[in-house]
Each structure stands twice: as structure tokens, then as C-alpha cells.
Amino acid sequence: MRRNSGDSSVAIITLTSDSITPLTLMNVIMIVDSGFFVIQQSNKAQLTLSNIEFIGAGTVKQEGLALLFIEYSSFRSSNNISTISPFVQAIRGQLEINSCSFGTSLQTKLGQPAIQTSSQCSNIKFKQTIFSNLHSIIANGEQKASGAVIEMGEKTEVEFTDCTFIHCIDSSSDIQHSTGA
């Protein structure tokens, strides 16, 4: 599935707020130059993305209260293009990422962290996920972590289990240090 760069306000798949039936999307390659791969807006229906290859500078966005579950998937930019938005962004609701990879053996330049969540998220879990060769080039005063930035709220629960961060650094300063999570 490919979305043209001129369609940056739409997604390849959108689970709308009216959706009540769970949806599973499996074994797909998605290529997006900018904008959105997938938008999950449902408050009731879980969206599962399984064995998906996300290529490009697109975002999987969680806006609903229901669970967005991503498993056995990979996220990488194409042609060494810097991203301007996170690969995964959760505004509210629940997010679980299991056995995924972010980045490749080559350097991935990020304009935002690979994953970013807001304080309105309630349950965030990362299991057996690998973050590799992510180099943030975030120029403004925001958090400069290249792996994951989690904004904690009163009801936010976060769990990292068996995750690996390899060469995740802040490339925007002279001092390069680990900026995993």
C-alpha cells in the first residue's frame, strides 16, 4: 500500500470513532513519504497491526481510547530521509508495542522521537522491541530522546520489558549521548 506525498492529511487506514468491531491488519507493506500510515480513533474497537513493514516518514497515530496493538512490525525511513514526525504517536488511550523494530543497521535521522505519547494515555507497554541507530536531530527545546518520549499523566502506566536500545543518540549537539527513552 502506498500513499502519495500530496495526500498528507489522510491515512492509508483509519479506524473511525464510530467503529465498534475490532480490526486486525496483517502482512502488509506500507510506504508513506509524509503524513499518516494509520489513524486509530475508536473508543471501543481495538486495532491490531501485525507483521507490517512501515517504510517512510509516516506516522501511526492513536487518538481513540481503545487499544492500538502493534506486533512483529518494523519502522524505517526510506532513502535516509529525516522524519518530521514520530513513527508512532499516541494522543490518548492505550498503546502496546510487541516484538517490533525501529530503525535499521544504517543511521536513521529523526526530527522527532520514534515514539511519542501524551499524558492522556493510560496504558503504554513495550515488549521485546529493538530501537537501533536512531539519531535525533531535534532542534527546538523539546525532549531530544530518539527512541521514546513518554509524557506521564496521573493515570499513565508505562512498562518496558526486554527492550533494546542500540546507538540511539542526540545528533543535534556536539556531545553525543544515549537518548533511548
Side-chain angles (χ1 to χ4, degrees):
M1 299 176 154
R2 182 179 184 97
R3 189 183 49 71
N4 294 328
S5 60
D7 302 330
S8 62
S9 63
V10 297
I12 293 175
I13 303 286
T14 299
L15 192 62
T16 65
S17 58
D18 297 332
S19 300
I20 57 173
T21 304
L23 174 68
T24 299
L25 184 63
M26 299 176 63
N27 305 319
V28 176
I29 297 172
M30 291 189 183
I31 303 170
V32 172
D33 296 329
S34 65
F36 300 104
F37 291 114
V38 175
I39 300 175
Q40 197 308 52
Q41 297 174 328
S42 178
N43 293 325
K44 296 179 182 176
Q46 174 177 319
L47 175 60
T48 300
L49 305 173
S50 182
N51 199 28
I52 310 289
E53 189 174 349
F54 297 97
I55 302 170
T59 299
V60 174
K61 190 170 188 179
Q62 163 67 318
E63 295 178 340
L65 296 175
L67 175 64
L68 171 58
F69 182 62
I70 306 170
E71 65 178 354
Y72 309 113
S73 297
S74 64
F75 292 80
R76 64 182 173 88
S77 62
S78 59
N79 301 323
N80 205 22
I81 296 172
S82 296
T83 64
I84 57 171
S85 59
F87 287 127
V88 177
Q89 181 180 37
I91 305 301
R92 62 186 187 141
Q94 305 170 64
L95 174 66
E96 187 168 333
I97 297 176
N98 186 14
S99 301
C100 292
S101 65
F102 292 84
T104 65
S105 60
L106 302 173
Q107 177 180 338
T108 301
K109 295 178 182 175
L110 303 173
Q112 293 289 323
I115 300 170
Q116 189 169 28
T117 70
S118 81
S119 61
Q120 295 180 38
C121 294
S122 58
N123 194 3
I124 303 165
K125 294 181 181 178
F126 300 94
K127 295 179 182 173
Q128 298 176 337
T129 293
I130 298 172
F131 299 84
S132 58
N133 293 310
L134 302 174
H135 293 230
S136 67
I137 50 172
I138 303 168
N140 58 22
E142 293 183 27
Q143 297 293 329
K144 295 186 178 188
S146 56
V149 171
I150 312 289
E151 185 179 323
M152 299 295 292
E154 280 185 30
K155 298 180 181 181
T156 305
E157 294 181 19
V158 179
E159 179 181 319
F160 282 88
T161 306
D162 298 325
C163 294
T164 305
F165 294 85
I166 303 168
H167 302 293
C168 296
I169 64 171
D170 175 12
S171 296
S172 64
S173 67
D174 292 335
I175 302 171
Q176 294 185 347
H177 57 277
S178 175
T179 58

